[in-house]
Amino acid sequence: MPRYTVHVRGEWLAVPCRDAQLTVGWLGREAVRRYIKNKPDNGGFASVDDVSFLVRRCKGLGLLDHEDPLEVALEDNEFVEVVIEGDAMSPDFIPSQPEGVYLYSKYREPEKYIALDGDSLTTEDLVNLGKGRYKIKLTPTAEKKVQKSREVIDSIVKEKTGILFSLLHISL
């Protein structure tokens, strides 16, 4: 049974194929289905049917036709990438684009900030940070805490260095 390794939004998925007559489009949908199934929030998608994607080879970066049978388009155990159209989560995908045609929107730096204060970060905030939806800004209180922690580390290092220097002096 052929097996393909598929990259979707930073995740590598093993996708076995019971029938080599299935198409590249099937492989893409199956990879997206597995990706959605493994994400607590379904990867932000309601269903596989809502996802428009392209498939390309990892080696050589060639775009693949959704209608091509897998046995013709790919070799067993080949690595491919599914790129979701318009998805900022796939910033490393740079296809050869026909002039004037853009297959996906390029990564955009988030415009919103999330303030880190050392006390109020939620799991949802952390997930959104991981998805690149926010920039990070420390509150003045958090900056003071960071500075205080730095001073503690510096004093420990200075103290340990002083002890080590004393021990070296004694042994000489």
Side-chain angles (χ1 to χ4, degrees):
M1 171 173 13
R3 177 200 255 11
Y4 304 98
T5 303
V6 185
H7 188 243
V8 180
R9 281 183 154 182
E11 302 286 335
W12 289 99
L13 305 162
V15 180
C17 177
R18 63 189 173 285
D19 179 2
Q21 289 297 315
L22 291 170
T23 64
V24 169
W26 172 87
L27 179 63
R29 281 187 303 282
E30 180 62 14
V32 170
R33 185 191 70 76
R34 288 168 182 250
Y35 173 82
I36 289 171
K37 180 177 134 186
N38 289 314
K39 293 296 175 183
D41 66 347
N42 295 329
F45 301 111
S47 77
V48 175
D49 298 329
D50 297 338
V51 181
S52 180
F53 60 85
L54 302 165
V55 180
R56 73 166 182 173
R57 278 190 169 88
C58 289
K59 182 179 180 181
L61 307 179
L63 292 173
L64 301 172
D65 188 317
H66 281 235
E67 296 174 9
D68 284 346
L70 290 170
E71 69 181 355
V72 172
L74 298 171
E75 295 178 22
D76 184 24
N77 212 20
E78 192 160 349
F79 288 76
V80 296
E81 181 171 27
V82 170
V83 180
I84 298 164
E85 290 188 49
D87 187 21
M89 297 289 288
S90 303
D92 58 335
F93 179 66
I94 305 171
S96 299
Q97 297 179 351
E99 195 171 327
V101 177
Y102 296 95
L103 301 174
Y104 76 105
S105 64
K106 294 185 179 183
Y107 171 76
R108 288 180 298 262
E109 181 114 357
E111 295 178 14
K112 295 180 181 178
Y113 281 90
I114 187 164
L116 298 180
D117 60 10
D119 295 316
S120 62
L121 185 68
T122 66
T123 304
E124 184 180 354
D125 291 337
L126 190 58
V127 168
N128 285 325
L129 282 170
K131 290 180 177 180
R133 293 185 179 156
Y134 297 109
K135 292 182 187 179
I136 297 172
K137 182 186 287 186
L138 292 177
T139 64
T141 304
E143 285 184 36
K144 289 176 187 171
K145 289 178 182 179
V146 169
Q147 183 58 39
K148 190 172 183 177
S149 296
R150 180 70 225 185
E151 290 168 3
V152 168
I153 291 169
D154 287 345
S155 70
I156 291 170
V157 169
K158 187 176 180 179
E159 181 181 315
K160 296 292 182 193
T161 304
I163 292 171
L164 181 62
F165 183 73
S166 297
L167 290 173
L168 286 173
H169 228 355
I170 293 171
S171 65
L172 294 176

